[in-house]
Amino acid sequence: MQLNTQSKRVILGAVVILNEQGLQFLAENGRVALSSMLKVHIQQGFERLSTPRRWRFLSESPVNLQGKVEFQVLNELLNSPVDVLMPVFTCIHREKNKVFLRLQVPVDLLYFKGHFAVQPILPGVVLLEWVDSFTNKYFEVGAQFKEIKKLKFHQIIQPKEVIFLELDYQTMKDEVNFTIYQNELKEQIMASGVMVWTNSEKKP
């Protein structure tokens, strides 16, 4: 799609929905490598001017409640910062108050830049941000974050690593029990804790 930048210059951009293979390539090699590969593929059949200058990669289509993609949403995506802040994820299983996700840590995650030159590791605070983000994505929390309880980190998490996140939302308590597993069979716990929210609308 074409978009107008702040300088009023019209450029070509692309929002690409990746399958599982594409998501894995993105996490392991980064967005620059993926966009470069796609550019080469496009230029084999089209003129160079047809090659997008700006890329955004998603795991699912950004549709509205009617199941349609809106131009404004795509335009906002293409004009948003390119810093990689979130993992590549897929939802394995979902219930009303539970969700089980597969996460792959991107090699070009912003939080790795300029740190951990010898052995990059995922900071614990970033992991908690992910838990908070996915909680708000899948559940109607309707509250403000208050505190973290029973927080434990058992293993470090590195770039390209695949981990599994389980969220269990306790609606009556406004709490989310989260557990990070090493594999889909939940055989090894890497981190766990309880995130507590406070709902200002509830009476004491």
Side-chain angles (χ1 to χ4, degrees), residues 85-87 103 105 109 111 121-135 148 151-157 163-165 167 178-181 190-193 195:
L85 304 176
M86 294 293 292
L103 313 180
V105 183
L109 191 70
Y111 306 107
I121 61 173
L122 183 70
V125 64
V126 176
L127 187 61
L128 296 177
E129 288 182 3
W130 290 357
V131 172
D132 177 70
S133 178
F134 285 118
T135 296
I148 301 174
L151 180 61
K152 294 181 180 180
F153 295 105
H154 300 280
Q155 296 186 32
I156 63 172
I157 300 174
I163 58 178
F164 296 84
L165 169 63
L167 300 175
F178 68 90
T179 309
I180 302 291
Y181 295 99
M190 306 184 73
S192 61
M195 298 193 78

Short mmCIF file of all heavy atoms in Angstrom, two decimals, residues 85-87 103 105 109 111 121-135 148 151-157 163-165 167 178-181 190-193 195:
data_model
loop_
_atom_site.label_atom_id
_atom_site.label_comp_id
_atom_site.label_asym_id
_atom_site.label_seq_id
_atom_site.Cartn_x
_atom_site.Cartn_y
_atom_site.Cartn_z
N LEU A 85 9.93 -5.01 19.95
CA LEU A 85 9.73 -5.01 21.40
C LEU A 85 9.05 -6.26 21.92
O LEU A 85 9.11 -6.55 23.12
CB LEU A 85 8.88 -3.79 21.80
CG LEU A 85 9.39 -2.42 21.38
CD1 LEU A 85 8.39 -1.34 21.76
CD2 LEU A 85 10.75 -2.13 22.01
N MET A 86 8.39 -7.00 21.03
CA MET A 86 7.61 -8.16 21.44
C MET A 86 8.11 -9.43 20.77
O MET A 86 8.75 -9.38 19.71
CB MET A 86 6.13 -7.95 21.09
CG MET A 86 5.46 -6.83 21.85
SD MET A 86 5.30 -7.19 23.61
CE MET A 86 4.10 -8.55 23.59
N PRO A 87 7.81 -10.59 21.36
CA PRO A 87 8.23 -11.85 20.75
C PRO A 87 7.32 -12.22 19.59
O PRO A 87 6.21 -11.70 19.45
CB PRO A 87 8.06 -12.86 21.90
CG PRO A 87 6.92 -12.29 22.69
CD PRO A 87 7.10 -10.79 22.63
N LEU A 103 6.10 -18.63 22.28
CA LEU A 103 6.84 -17.40 22.03
C LEU A 103 8.23 -17.73 21.52
O LEU A 103 8.88 -18.64 22.02
CB LEU A 103 6.97 -16.57 23.32
CG LEU A 103 5.74 -16.34 24.18
CD1 LEU A 103 6.11 -15.50 25.39
CD2 LEU A 103 4.62 -15.69 23.39
N VAL A 105 11.82 -15.72 20.90
CA VAL A 105 12.51 -14.47 21.22
C VAL A 105 13.26 -13.98 19.98
O VAL A 105 14.15 -14.68 19.48
CB VAL A 105 13.49 -14.66 22.39
CG1 VAL A 105 14.14 -13.33 22.75
CG2 VAL A 105 12.77 -15.25 23.59
N LEU A 109 15.72 -8.19 18.95
CA LEU A 109 14.93 -7.54 19.99
C LEU A 109 15.67 -6.29 20.48
O LEU A 109 16.88 -6.31 20.71
CB LEU A 109 14.72 -8.50 21.16
CG LEU A 109 13.70 -8.07 22.23
CD1 LEU A 109 12.29 -8.13 21.69
CD2 LEU A 109 13.83 -8.97 23.47
N TYR A 111 15.89 -4.81 23.24
CA TYR A 111 16.52 -4.87 24.56
C TYR A 111 17.88 -5.58 24.54
O TYR A 111 18.60 -5.54 25.54
CB TYR A 111 15.58 -5.57 25.54
CG TYR A 111 14.21 -4.93 25.59
CD1 TYR A 111 13.11 -5.57 25.01
CD2 TYR A 111 14.02 -3.68 26.17
CE1 TYR A 111 11.85 -4.98 25.04
CE2 TYR A 111 12.77 -3.09 26.19
CZ TYR A 111 11.69 -3.74 25.62
OH TYR A 111 10.45 -3.16 25.64
N ILE A 121 20.90 -12.05 27.09
CA ILE A 121 19.82 -12.72 27.81
C ILE A 121 18.63 -11.76 27.91
O ILE A 121 18.78 -10.55 27.84
CB ILE A 121 20.25 -13.17 29.23
CG1 ILE A 121 20.66 -11.96 30.07
CG2 ILE A 121 21.36 -14.19 29.17
CD1 ILE A 121 20.94 -12.29 31.52
N LEU A 122 17.45 -12.34 28.06
CA LEU A 122 16.24 -11.54 28.15
C LEU A 122 16.08 -11.01 29.57
O LEU A 122 15.99 -11.78 30.52
CB LEU A 122 15.03 -12.40 27.78
CG LEU A 122 13.68 -11.67 27.77
CD1 LEU A 122 13.63 -10.70 26.60
CD2 LEU A 122 12.53 -12.68 27.66
N PRO A 123 16.05 -9.68 29.74
CA PRO A 123 15.87 -9.13 31.09
C PRO A 123 14.52 -9.53 31.68
O PRO A 123 13.51 -9.61 30.97
CB PRO A 123 15.92 -7.61 30.85
CG PRO A 123 16.65 -7.44 29.56
CD PRO A 123 16.26 -8.63 28.74
N GLY A 124 14.50 -9.79 32.98
CA GLY A 124 13.27 -10.20 33.63
C GLY A 124 12.16 -9.19 33.52
O GLY A 124 10.99 -9.54 33.35
N VAL A 125 12.51 -7.90 33.55
CA VAL A 125 11.50 -6.85 33.46
C VAL A 125 10.81 -6.87 32.10
O VAL A 125 9.62 -6.56 31.99
CB VAL A 125 12.12 -5.46 33.74
CG1 VAL A 125 13.14 -5.09 32.68
CG2 VAL A 125 11.05 -4.40 33.85
N VAL A 126 11.54 -7.26 31.05
CA VAL A 126 10.94 -7.36 29.72
C VAL A 126 9.96 -8.52 29.68
O VAL A 126 8.87 -8.42 29.10
CB VAL A 126 12.04 -7.55 28.65
CG1 VAL A 126 11.41 -7.76 27.27
CG2 VAL A 126 12.97 -6.34 28.64
N LEU A 127 10.32 -9.62 30.30
CA LEU A 127 9.42 -10.76 30.37
C LEU A 127 8.11 -10.39 31.06
O LEU A 127 7.03 -10.79 30.63
CB LEU A 127 10.10 -11.92 31.10
CG LEU A 127 9.37 -13.26 31.12
CD1 LEU A 127 9.19 -13.79 29.70
CD2 LEU A 127 10.13 -14.28 31.96
N LEU A 128 8.21 -9.60 32.11
CA LEU A 128 7.02 -9.15 32.81
C LEU A 128 6.17 -8.22 31.95
O LEU A 128 4.94 -8.24 32.02
CB LEU A 128 7.40 -8.47 34.12
CG LEU A 128 8.10 -9.36 35.16
CD1 LEU A 128 8.50 -8.53 36.37
CD2 LEU A 128 7.20 -10.51 35.58
N GLU A 129 6.81 -7.40 31.15
CA GLU A 129 6.09 -6.54 30.21
C GLU A 129 5.31 -7.38 29.21
O GLU A 129 4.18 -7.04 28.84
CB GLU A 129 7.06 -5.61 29.49
CG GLU A 129 7.63 -4.50 30.35
CD GLU A 129 8.55 -3.59 29.58
OE1 GLU A 129 8.70 -3.80 28.35
OE2 GLU A 129 9.12 -2.66 30.18
N TRP A 130 5.90 -8.48 28.77
CA TRP A 130 5.21 -9.37 27.84
C TRP A 130 3.99 -10.00 28.51
O TRP A 130 2.93 -10.11 27.90
CB TRP A 130 6.17 -10.44 27.35
CG TRP A 130 7.25 -9.93 26.44
CD1 TRP A 130 7.39 -8.64 25.99
CD2 TRP A 130 8.32 -10.68 25.88
NE1 TRP A 130 8.49 -8.54 25.18
CE2 TRP A 130 9.08 -9.77 25.09
CE3 TRP A 130 8.72 -12.00 25.97
CZ2 TRP A 130 10.22 -10.18 24.39
CZ3 TRP A 130 9.85 -12.41 25.25
CH2 TRP A 130 10.59 -11.50 24.48
N VAL A 131 4.17 -10.43 29.74
CA VAL A 131 3.04 -11.02 30.47
C VAL A 131 1.90 -10.02 30.58
O VAL A 131 0.73 -10.34 30.35
CB VAL A 131 3.48 -11.49 31.87
CG1 VAL A 131 2.27 -11.92 32.70
CG2 VAL A 131 4.48 -12.64 31.76
N ASP A 132 2.24 -8.78 30.91
CA ASP A 132 1.24 -7.73 31.03
C ASP A 132 0.55 -7.47 29.69
O ASP A 132 -0.67 -7.33 29.62
CB ASP A 132 1.90 -6.45 31.54
CG ASP A 132 0.93 -5.29 31.64
OD1 ASP A 132 0.05 -5.32 32.52
OD2 ASP A 132 1.03 -4.36 30.82
N SER A 133 1.34 -7.43 28.62
CA SER A 133 0.79 -7.15 27.30
C SER A 133 -0.16 -8.25 26.85
O SER A 133 -1.26 -7.98 26.35
CB SER A 133 1.93 -7.00 26.29
OG SER A 133 1.44 -6.78 24.99
N PHE A 134 0.23 -9.51 27.03
CA PHE A 134 -0.63 -10.62 26.60
C PHE A 134 -1.86 -10.75 27.50
O PHE A 134 -2.92 -11.18 27.04
CB PHE A 134 0.17 -11.92 26.59
CG PHE A 134 1.12 -12.03 25.42
CD1 PHE A 134 2.48 -12.14 25.63
CD2 PHE A 134 0.64 -12.01 24.13
CE1 PHE A 134 3.36 -12.23 24.56
CE2 PHE A 134 1.50 -12.09 23.04
CZ PHE A 134 2.87 -12.20 23.26
N THR A 135 -1.72 -10.39 28.76
CA THR A 135 -2.88 -10.39 29.65
C THR A 135 -3.94 -9.42 29.15
O THR A 135 -5.13 -9.75 29.07
CB THR A 135 -2.48 -10.02 31.09
OG1 THR A 135 -1.59 -11.00 31.61
CG2 THR A 135 -3.70 -9.93 32.00
N ILE A 148 3.57 -7.56 41.93
CA ILE A 148 3.92 -8.92 41.51
C ILE A 148 4.23 -9.74 42.75
O ILE A 148 4.97 -9.29 43.63
CB ILE A 148 5.14 -8.91 40.57
CG1 ILE A 148 4.84 -8.07 39.33
CG2 ILE A 148 5.51 -10.34 40.17
CD1 ILE A 148 6.04 -7.90 38.44
N LEU A 151 7.37 -14.16 42.52
CA LEU A 151 8.14 -14.12 41.28
C LEU A 151 9.41 -14.97 41.42
O LEU A 151 10.18 -14.82 42.36
CB LEU A 151 8.52 -12.67 40.97
CG LEU A 151 9.35 -12.43 39.70
CD1 LEU A 151 8.58 -12.89 38.48
CD2 LEU A 151 9.73 -10.96 39.59
N LYS A 152 9.60 -15.85 40.44
CA LYS A 152 10.78 -16.72 40.43
C LYS A 152 11.31 -16.85 39.01
O LYS A 152 10.53 -17.07 38.07
CB LYS A 152 10.45 -18.10 40.99
CG LYS A 152 10.07 -18.10 42.47
CD LYS A 152 9.79 -19.52 42.95
CE LYS A 152 9.42 -19.54 44.43
NZ LYS A 152 9.15 -20.92 44.91
N PHE A 153 12.64 -16.72 38.86
CA PHE A 153 13.30 -16.97 37.58
C PHE A 153 14.23 -18.16 37.76
O PHE A 153 15.18 -18.11 38.54
CB PHE A 153 14.10 -15.74 37.13
CG PHE A 153 13.25 -14.54 36.82
CD1 PHE A 153 13.18 -13.47 37.71
CD2 PHE A 153 12.51 -14.48 35.65
CE1 PHE A 153 12.40 -12.36 37.43
CE2 PHE A 153 11.72 -13.37 35.36
CZ PHE A 153 11.66 -12.32 36.25
N HIS A 154 13.96 -19.23 37.04
CA HIS A 154 14.73 -20.46 37.20
C HIS A 154 15.82 -20.62 36.15
O HIS A 154 16.85 -21.23 36.41
CB HIS A 154 13.79 -21.66 37.13
CG HIS A 154 12.72 -21.65 38.18
ND1 HIS A 154 12.95 -22.04 39.49
CD2 HIS A 154 11.42 -21.28 38.14
CE1 HIS A 154 11.82 -21.92 40.19
NE2 HIS A 154 10.89 -21.46 39.39
N GLN A 155 15.58 -20.09 34.94
CA GLN A 155 16.55 -20.23 33.85
C GLN A 155 16.60 -18.94 33.03
O GLN A 155 15.62 -18.22 32.95
CB GLN A 155 16.16 -21.40 32.93
CG GLN A 155 16.19 -22.77 33.59
CD GLN A 155 15.93 -23.88 32.58
OE1 GLN A 155 16.30 -23.77 31.42
NE2 GLN A 155 15.30 -24.93 33.02
N ILE A 156 17.77 -18.69 32.43
CA ILE A 156 17.89 -17.53 31.56
C ILE A 156 17.24 -17.84 30.21
O ILE A 156 17.10 -19.00 29.82
CB ILE A 156 19.37 -17.13 31.35
CG1 ILE A 156 20.14 -18.25 30.65
CG2 ILE A 156 20.01 -16.76 32.68
CD1 ILE A 156 21.55 -17.85 30.26
N ILE A 157 16.83 -16.77 29.51
CA ILE A 157 16.21 -16.90 28.20
C ILE A 157 17.05 -16.10 27.21
O ILE A 157 17.36 -14.93 27.45
CB ILE A 157 14.76 -16.38 28.22
CG1 ILE A 157 13.94 -17.20 29.22
CG2 ILE A 157 14.14 -16.45 26.82
CD1 ILE A 157 12.53 -16.66 29.42
N ILE A 163 9.94 -20.43 23.87
CA ILE A 163 9.41 -20.69 25.22
C ILE A 163 7.89 -20.73 25.15
O ILE A 163 7.29 -20.36 24.13
CB ILE A 163 9.87 -19.61 26.22
CG1 ILE A 163 9.42 -18.21 25.74
CG2 ILE A 163 11.37 -19.67 26.42
CD1 ILE A 163 9.78 -17.09 26.69
N PHE A 164 7.27 -21.17 26.23
CA PHE A 164 5.81 -21.32 26.24
C PHE A 164 5.25 -20.62 27.48
O PHE A 164 5.70 -20.87 28.60
CB PHE A 164 5.43 -22.80 26.22
CG PHE A 164 5.84 -23.48 24.95
CD1 PHE A 164 7.14 -23.98 24.80
CD2 PHE A 164 4.96 -23.60 23.90
CE1 PHE A 164 7.53 -24.60 23.62
CE2 PHE A 164 5.33 -24.22 22.71
CZ PHE A 164 6.63 -24.71 22.58
N LEU A 165 4.29 -19.74 27.25
CA LEU A 165 3.70 -18.93 28.31
C LEU A 165 2.27 -19.36 28.58
O LEU A 165 1.44 -19.39 27.67
CB LEU A 165 3.73 -17.45 27.91
CG LEU A 165 2.94 -16.48 28.79
CD1 LEU A 165 3.49 -16.46 30.21
CD2 LEU A 165 2.93 -15.09 28.18
N LEU A 167 -1.06 -18.36 30.86
CA LEU A 167 -1.70 -17.33 31.68
C LEU A 167 -3.01 -17.88 32.23
O LEU A 167 -3.82 -18.43 31.48
CB LEU A 167 -1.99 -16.08 30.86
CG LEU A 167 -0.79 -15.37 30.21
CD1 LEU A 167 -1.26 -14.23 29.34
CD2 LEU A 167 0.18 -14.88 31.27
N PHE A 178 1.10 -16.64 36.02
CA PHE A 178 1.80 -16.90 34.76
C PHE A 178 2.96 -17.87 34.99
O PHE A 178 3.61 -17.86 36.03
CB PHE A 178 2.32 -15.60 34.14
CG PHE A 178 3.42 -14.92 34.91
CD1 PHE A 178 4.75 -15.21 34.68
CD2 PHE A 178 3.10 -13.96 35.86
CE1 PHE A 178 5.75 -14.57 35.39
CE2 PHE A 178 4.10 -13.30 36.58
CZ PHE A 178 5.43 -13.61 36.34
N THR A 179 3.18 -18.70 34.00
CA THR A 179 4.26 -19.69 34.04
C THR A 179 4.92 -19.76 32.68
O THR A 179 4.23 -19.86 31.66
CB THR A 179 3.74 -21.08 34.43
OG1 THR A 179 2.94 -20.99 35.61
CG2 THR A 179 4.91 -22.04 34.69
N ILE A 180 6.24 -19.71 32.67
CA ILE A 180 7.01 -19.87 31.44
C ILE A 180 7.61 -21.28 31.45
O ILE A 180 8.31 -21.66 32.39
CB ILE A 180 8.15 -18.84 31.34
CG1 ILE A 180 7.60 -17.42 31.41
CG2 ILE A 180 8.95 -19.05 30.05
CD1 ILE A 180 6.80 -17.00 30.23
N TYR A 181 7.30 -22.04 30.41
CA TYR A 181 7.81 -23.40 30.30
C TYR A 181 8.86 -23.51 29.20
O TYR A 181 8.86 -22.74 28.24
CB TYR A 181 6.68 -24.38 29.98
CG TYR A 181 5.64 -24.50 31.06
CD1 TYR A 181 4.44 -23.81 30.98
CD2 TYR A 181 5.84 -25.32 32.18
CE1 TYR A 181 3.46 -23.92 31.97
CE2 TYR A 181 4.89 -25.44 33.17
CZ TYR A 181 3.69 -24.73 33.06
OH TYR A 181 2.75 -24.85 34.05
N MET A 190 10.61 -22.23 33.62
CA MET A 190 11.70 -21.29 33.48
C MET A 190 11.47 -20.03 34.33
O MET A 190 12.41 -19.38 34.78
CB MET A 190 11.89 -20.91 32.02
CG MET A 190 12.08 -22.10 31.09
SD MET A 190 12.40 -21.62 29.39
CE MET A 190 14.08 -21.03 29.51
N ALA A 191 10.20 -19.67 34.52
CA ALA A 191 9.86 -18.50 35.33
C ALA A 191 8.38 -18.61 35.71
O ALA A 191 7.59 -19.25 35.02
CB ALA A 191 10.12 -17.20 34.58
N SER A 192 8.02 -17.95 36.81
CA SER A 192 6.62 -17.99 37.24
C SER A 192 6.35 -16.84 38.20
O SER A 192 7.29 -16.22 38.74
CB SER A 192 6.29 -19.32 37.92
OG SER A 192 7.09 -19.51 39.07
N GLY A 193 5.08 -16.56 38.41
CA GLY A 193 4.71 -15.51 39.34
C GLY A 193 3.24 -15.18 39.25
O GLY A 193 2.48 -15.83 38.51
N MET A 195 0.73 -11.74 38.83
CA MET A 195 0.57 -10.30 38.62
C MET A 195 -0.79 -9.89 39.17
O MET A 195 -1.81 -10.49 38.83
CB MET A 195 0.69 -9.94 37.14
CG MET A 195 2.04 -10.29 36.55
SD MET A 195 2.33 -9.54 34.91
CE MET A 195 2.74 -7.87 35.37
#
